[in-house]
């Protein structure tokens, strides 16, 4: 391989390779299964051996691990390296390569094979458009290094399976794709991509950054220490390989940079590049770190660490910034006038409770919701009315009552309180409204995110009676 393909030249570009060879027992495992998506992985001690064998070589070299050398030492002339591995200098017994027997693929195994292919590839296969896979796309790449999983002789795949399932749930929730899961000289690494078919969004950088933070927290719960790199940029997406064997891959500078940031994030944490920061900085809180020098880059690279659980409040613009949306503006103004009429009527009748109104603005990312909320804010300011707003994004739809919770907590001025103080505040408000409601206060747990213990009365209620309560 080194003799025939060691140097590849195309125009002014010249690529060289160095090769590491190891030997030993391997384990093949099938793990995952979330949403019917599986990963095939080969693990074992030979992959650990490659770490030193590959690092010991330079362009044009073939290096054998100690274990591999012990099996073939009569076939090659080699020099022992300081690390204990062996640099091959001459082959004394040439072997005639034997072609592999083609694997017969029967139609009945297709459903099983499809579980290992990405949804983007499946969509193209089903549409018979495999010749149109290649394209340039702007994507966000996430590299995750799993530290804490031991690949031993008696390999137990359960910890790795649990880790992959946790990452699959996060990545699929944000509509990303798992490009690859592999164990090599860099350790156990997962590569995820956001912005590839069949999903593409205007906020893929945000999805990638939030997915990285969610993966970080979920793997902490499994007592793993992930190091994660997140980058955004243009890459080539398409089939890489030959007709006999190929895969859907992303090739580009940002892929390499994501791997470098993953390494720089060690032992644990998330690092983002400057491009991701520029796209996501309005939504997450970042800490800018000193620039670092990475392999393949002439200049130091700016890096940023996103804060877990951080989210910037929606920035409300003034009504004057709106262009178009006349129909939506008319609806808002009409609703607001109706609300003012009801408020004036309640004041005339000396009704003691405070009147209010709720308006929901819903739409896809980038359609102008923030500007319409700015109109509502300005209308409230003109009439000296209290204005409270909140928002919920694509990744928060699995939390019940979340927008209502945020509105109520902001109205009660206890959004930033710790869990215990928040419970005390909710309890005092319920007690002030009616002492008989204290037995029902646990029903507010899903709304306020509290953890009140259910009373004996509540435990005896049937599901239908609980809904009515």
């Amino acid at each position: 391989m080194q003799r025939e393909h060691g140097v590849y030249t195309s125009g002014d570009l010249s690529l060289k390779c160095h090769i590491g060879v190891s030997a030993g027992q391997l384990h093949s495992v099938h793990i995952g299964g979330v949403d019917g998506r599986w990963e095939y992985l080969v693990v074992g001690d030979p992959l650990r051996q490659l770490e030193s064998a590959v690092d010991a070589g330079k362009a044009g070299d073939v290096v054998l691990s100690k274990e591999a050398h012990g099996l073939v030492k009569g076939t090659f002339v080699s020099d022992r390296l300081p690390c204990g591995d062996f640099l091959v200098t001459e082959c004394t017994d040439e072997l005639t390569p034997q072609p592999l027997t083609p694997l017969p693929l029967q139609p009945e195994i297709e459903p099983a094979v499809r579980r290992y292919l990405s949804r983007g590839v499946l969509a193209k296969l089903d549409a018979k458009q495999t010749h149109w896979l290649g394209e340039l796309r702007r994507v966000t790449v996430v590299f995750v290094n799993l530290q804490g999983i031991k690949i031993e002789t008696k390999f137990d795949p359960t910890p790795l399976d649990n880790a992959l399932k946790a990452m699959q749930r996060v990545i699929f929730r944000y509509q990303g794709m798992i490009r690859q899961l592999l164990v090599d000289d860099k350790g156990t690494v997962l590569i995820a991509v956001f912005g590839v078919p069949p999903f593409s969004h205007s906020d893929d950088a945000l999805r990638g950054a939030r997915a990285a933070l969610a993966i970080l927290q979920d793997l902490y719960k499994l007592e793993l220490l992930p190091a994660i790199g997140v980058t955004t940029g243009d890459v080539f997406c398409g089939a890489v390989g030959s007709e006999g064997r190929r895969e859907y891959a992303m090739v580009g500078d940002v892929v390499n940079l994501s791997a470098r940031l993953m390494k720089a994030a060690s032992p644990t944490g998330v690092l983002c590049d400057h491009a991701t920061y520029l796209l996501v900085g309005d939504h997450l809180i970042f800490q800018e770190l000193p620039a670092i020098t990475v392999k393949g880059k002439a200049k130091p690279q700016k890096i940023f660490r996103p804060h877990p659980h951080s989210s910037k409040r929606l920035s409300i613009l003034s009504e004057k910034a709106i262009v178009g949306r006349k129909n939506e503006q008319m609806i808002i103004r009409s609703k607001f006038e109706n609300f003012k009429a009801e408020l004036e009527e309640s004041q005339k009748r000396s009704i003691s409770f405070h009147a209010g109104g709720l308006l929901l603005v819903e739409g896809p990312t980038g359609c102008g919701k923030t500007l319409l909320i700015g109109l509502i804010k300005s209308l409230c300011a003109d009439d000296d009315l209290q204005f409270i707003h909140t928002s919920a994004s694509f990744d928060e739809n699995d939390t019940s009552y979340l927008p209502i919770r945020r509105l109520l907590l902001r109205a009660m001025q206890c959004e930033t309180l710790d869990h215990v103080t928040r419970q005390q505040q909710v309890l005092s408000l319920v007690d002030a409204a009616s002492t008989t409601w204290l037995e029902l206060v646990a029903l507010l747990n899903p709304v306020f995110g509290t953890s009140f213990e259910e009373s004996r009365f509540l435990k005896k209620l049937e599901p239908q009676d609980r809904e009515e309560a």
Side-chain angles (χ1 to χ4, degrees), residues 16-17 85 98 152 226 246 254 259 282 323-324 347 377 428:
K16 298 180 180 180
C17 68
D85 295 327
Q98 299 296 322
E152 299 175 335
R246 54 181 172 169
V254 295
D282 288 339
V323 176
Q347 290 173 342
K377 179 181 180 181
S428 64

Side-chain angles (χ1 to χ4, degrees), residues 98-105 244:
Q98 299 296 322
L100 293 174
T101 303
L103 179 67
L105 297 177

Side-chain angles (χ1 to χ4, degrees), residues 318-392:
S318 69
E319 171 193 358
K320 296 178 181 179
I322 300 179
V323 176
R325 296 293 182 190
K326 293 182 179 180
N327 187 50
E328 288 82 357
Q329 292 186 61
M330 183 178 66
I331 293 173
I332 289 173
R333 292 180 187 278
S334 175
K335 293 287 186 182
F336 191 79
E337 290 301 322
N338 292 339
F339 162 68
K340 284 204 305 180
E342 293 175 4
L343 179 61
E344 291 172 0
E345 182 64 23
S346 65
Q347 290 173 342
K348 290 178 182 177
R349 296 167 56 188
S350 300
I351 298 177
S352 58
F353 68 85
H354 296 286
L358 177 66
L359 189 61
L360 174 64
V361 180
E362 186 177 16
T365 302
C367 72
K369 299 184 296 295
T370 303
L371 298 178
L372 294 175
I373 295 174
L375 170 60
I376 301 171
K377 179 181 180 181
S378 65
L379 292 173
C380 290
D382 291 342
D383 286 88
D384 198 25
L385 298 174
Q386 186 180 15
F387 169 78
I388 304 174
H389 78 278
T390 189
S391 63

Side-chain angles (χ1 to χ4, degrees), residues 8 168 289:
Y8 173 80
Q168 280 184 321
L289 302 177

